[in-house]
Amino acid sequence: LEQGAGLIFDSGCGTAMSTQELALQYPDSLVIGIDRSAHRLSKDYNQSLPNNAYLVQAECSDFWRLAVKA
C-alpha cells in the first residue's frame, strides 16, 4: 500500500461483485474481498476485477482476527 492509500475489506463478498464496485469507487485503495466459498469466488464476474482488488478464500472471523493481530 502506498502512503495515504486506504485498505477496504469486503467481508462475505460472495461473487465479488461488491468488491469490484468498491475497487472502482476507491481506485487509490486496496480492496480485499473475503468469502469462505471457493464456488462463489470462482464465478465469471471475477475475471474483470480492477488492479486494486484481490480475493481471499477464508473464514471472515479468522481473517479479521489475524488482520487485527498483524
Side-chain angles (χ1 to χ4, degrees):
L1 266 183
E2 293 183 27
Q3 183 69 20
L7 176 61
I8 300 170
F9 292 141
D10 184 15
S11 298
C13 69
T15 60
M17 291 178 68
S18 56
T19 304
Q20 181 179 11
E21 287 299 316
L22 286 166
L24 291 171
Q25 283 184 339
Y26 300 96
D28 295 331
S29 295
L30 175 62
V31 181
I32 301 175
I34 310 159
D35 201 280
R36 66 180 174 178
S37 171
H39 177 72
R40 285 189 294 249
L41 290 174
S42 68
K43 295 291 183 182
D44 290 336
Y45 310 118
N46 304 334
Q47 302 304 317
S48 58
L49 283 177
N51 291 334
N52 63 323
Y54 296 91
L55 299 177
V56 175
Q57 181 189 355
E59 186 69 42
C60 288
S61 59
D62 294 336
F63 185 91
W64 276 101
R65 181 178 45 78
L66 293 171
V68 167
K69 188 176 180 179

